[in-house]
């Protein structure tokens, strides 16, 4: 009985679906003419718009042609002189040079940061060798000519030396000289900053030396005899005319490889030249 009722219900649903389909087909047939009319109207509008744009384009071309006939022909000017061409080219190169300088400074800083771990380890080893930096300075052929016996005494108390690249100013470098307690001055560290210019390293900052009272008078006396380039003048007064040579030796020669000068044996003439230079400076 239930199966029969289910079949009847199913049959009724199918009949209803057939009736709905027939009604839908009749509606579609009725809508066809209306759709065709709308499509024809849309096609007419597109044709009118295309004809209008074609007319505007032709009118614009005609106007440009008339203006071209009225305008006199532009005559090419004289070519630029070699100097003018060079000035123009230099103006184009200027921003490229600045970009290259910034890139080079950034590259130097990144490589210094990569080497920092090894440099810190090297400093730790050097601190375990008494008088290392004093001997390296004295054995350097150019630096030794600018040292007196008193300078050797100052260097004898130096425990470490570092050279760092500065992020600001660009192309800036800093020399740091570390000292243990001594009879000359109270500073634990002396800093000297330089900026690389076209003419070389230019001093930008220097730590004032805090001399002990017992040595202050002698230091003042030595500063008055600074007519020639020497280590003491560079160390005690960064405004001394011509200190960049000593800074260059430290930053570009002694700092990268101090061991070669520590183990180096001086030629006999080097010590003689240094003593003669110091005597002439004190006279």
């Amino acid at each position: 009985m239930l199966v029969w009722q289910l079949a009847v219900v199913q049959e009724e649903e199918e009949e209803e679906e057939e009736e709905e389909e027939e009604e839908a087909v009749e509606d579609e047939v009725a809508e066809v003419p209306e759709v065709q009319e709308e499509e024809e109207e849309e096609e007419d509008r597109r044709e009118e718009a295309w004809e209008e744009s074609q007319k505007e384009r032709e009118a614009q071309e005609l106007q440009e042609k008339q203006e071209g006939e009225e305008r006199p022909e532009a005559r090419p000017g004289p070519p630029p002189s070699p100097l003018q061409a060079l000035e123009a080219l230099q103006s184009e190169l200027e921003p490229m040079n600045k970009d290259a300088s910034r890139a080079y400074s950034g590259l130097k800083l990144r490589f210094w940061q990569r080497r920092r771990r090894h440099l810190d380890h090297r400093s730790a080893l050097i601190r375990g060798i008494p008088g290392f930096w004093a001997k390296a300075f004295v054995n350097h052929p150019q630096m030794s000519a600018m040292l007196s016996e008193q300078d050797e005494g100052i260097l004898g108390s130096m425990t470490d030396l570092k050279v760092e690249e500065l992020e600001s100013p660009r192309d800036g470098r800093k020399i740091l000289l570390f000292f243990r307690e001594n009879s000359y001055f109270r500073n634990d560290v002396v800093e000297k900053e330089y900026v690389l210019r076209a003419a070389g390293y230019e001093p930008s900052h220097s730590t004032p030396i805090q001399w002990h009272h017992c040595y202050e008078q002698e230091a003042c006396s030595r500063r008055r005899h600074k007519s020639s380039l020497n280590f003491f003048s560079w160390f005690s007064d960064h405004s001394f005319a011509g200190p960049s040579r000593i800074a260059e030796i430290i930053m570009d020669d002694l700092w990268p490889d101090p061991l070669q000068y520590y183990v180096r044996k001086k030629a006999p003439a080097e010590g003689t030249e240094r003593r003669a230079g110091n005597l002439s400076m004190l006279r």
Side-chain angles (χ1 to χ4, degrees):
M1 185 66 177
L2 291 175
V3 175
W4 178 79
Q5 289 178 349
L6 181 60
V8 172
V9 172
Q10 184 69 27
E11 186 178 348
E12 291 177 352
E13 289 180 353
E14 291 177 355
E15 290 177 356
E16 290 179 359
E17 289 178 359
E18 290 178 358
E19 291 177 357
E20 291 176 356
E21 289 178 358
E22 291 176 357
E23 291 177 358
V25 170
E26 292 175 357
D27 293 340
E28 290 178 0
V29 172
E31 291 176 358
V32 167
E34 295 179 1
V35 173
Q36 290 178 345
E37 291 178 1
E38 291 178 357
E39 290 179 351
E40 291 175 357
E41 291 177 357
E42 181 66 24
E43 183 68 23
D44 292 341
R45 285 195 293 270
R46 283 198 295 267
E47 290 180 359
E48 292 176 359
W50 182 83
E51 292 175 357
E52 187 67 26
S53 63
Q54 191 70 13
K55 291 178 181 179
E56 292 178 357
R57 189 179 300 108
E58 291 175 356
Q60 184 176 0
E61 292 176 355
L62 179 60
Q63 182 179 357
E64 291 176 355
K65 183 178 179 181
Q66 292 174 349
E67 291 178 354
E69 293 175 353
E70 295 174 358
R71 189 184 303 115
E73 294 184 1
R75 297 181 179 178
S81 67
L83 180 58
Q84 291 172 332
L86 180 60
E87 290 175 347
L89 181 61
Q90 191 62 42
S91 298
E92 294 178 6
L93 281 173
E94 193 63 28
M96 298 181 190
N97 292 338
K98 291 180 180 179
D99 291 342
S101 178
R102 283 193 293 268
Y104 176 67
S105 299
L107 185 64
K108 284 200 307 180
L109 182 61
R110 285 197 298 273
F111 272 96
W112 175 79
Q113 291 171 344
R114 288 176 59 182
R115 294 187 304 154
R116 189 167 187 173
R117 180 172 61 88
H118 299 283
L119 294 174
D120 290 343
H121 187 201
R122 188 183 75 175
S123 293
L125 294 174
I126 289 176
R127 285 194 293 270
I129 304 174
F132 178 91
W133 284 110
K135 187 174 180 180
F137 272 64
V138 171
N139 286 351
H140 190 282
Q142 284 79 43
M143 183 68 78
S144 63
M146 295 178 273
L147 293 172
S148 68
E149 292 182 1
Q150 290 175 316
D151 295 333
E152 291 183 30
I154 292 175
L155 291 172
S157 61
M158 191 168 79
T159 59
D160 200 4
L161 169 69
K162 293 183 178 181
V163 176
E164 297 180 354
E165 304 286 342
L166 300 178
E167 295 185 13
S168 178
R170 198 172 70 249
D171 295 330
R173 305 181 82 181
K174 178 167 64 175
I175 299 174
L176 298 96
L177 302 99
F178 297 85
F179 297 89
R180 64 172 178 268
E181 186 175 349
N182 60 80
S183 59
Y184 299 98
F185 47 83
R186 295 187 294 273
N187 304 70
D188 296 327
V189 59
V190 175
E191 298 182 5
K192 290 183 173 293
E193 294 183 6
Y194 289 84
V195 179
L196 183 60
R197 307 293 188 192
Y201 287 107
E202 179 180 305
S204 62
H205 169 74
S206 181
T207 303
I209 306 300
Q210 301 173 358
W211 301 106
H212 285 303
H213 181 71
C214 59
Y215 191 75
E216 187 171 7
Q217 184 174 357
E218 185 173 350
C220 292
S221 176
R222 292 190 65 188
R223 280 201 299 271
R224 286 196 294 268
H225 297 84
K226 59 179 184 180
S227 57
S228 61
L229 177 60
N230 59 82
F231 177 81
F232 184 83
S233 298
W234 173 83
F235 180 76
S236 60
D237 184 8
H238 83 288
S239 64
F240 175 68
S244 62
R245 178 57 189 146
I246 294 178
E248 288 173 2
I249 292 174
I250 294 175
M251 291 188 287
D252 299 336
D253 205 1
L254 274 166
W255 166 248
D257 187 5
L259 182 60
Q260 65 172 317
Y261 298 106
Y262 178 80
V263 299
R264 177 179 180 270
K265 294 182 179 180
K266 295 187 300 179
E270 290 182 17
T272 305
E273 290 175 0
R274 183 165 63 87
R275 285 193 296 271
N278 293 332
L279 289 173
S280 63
M281 181 184 66
L282 295 174
R283 284 174 183 170

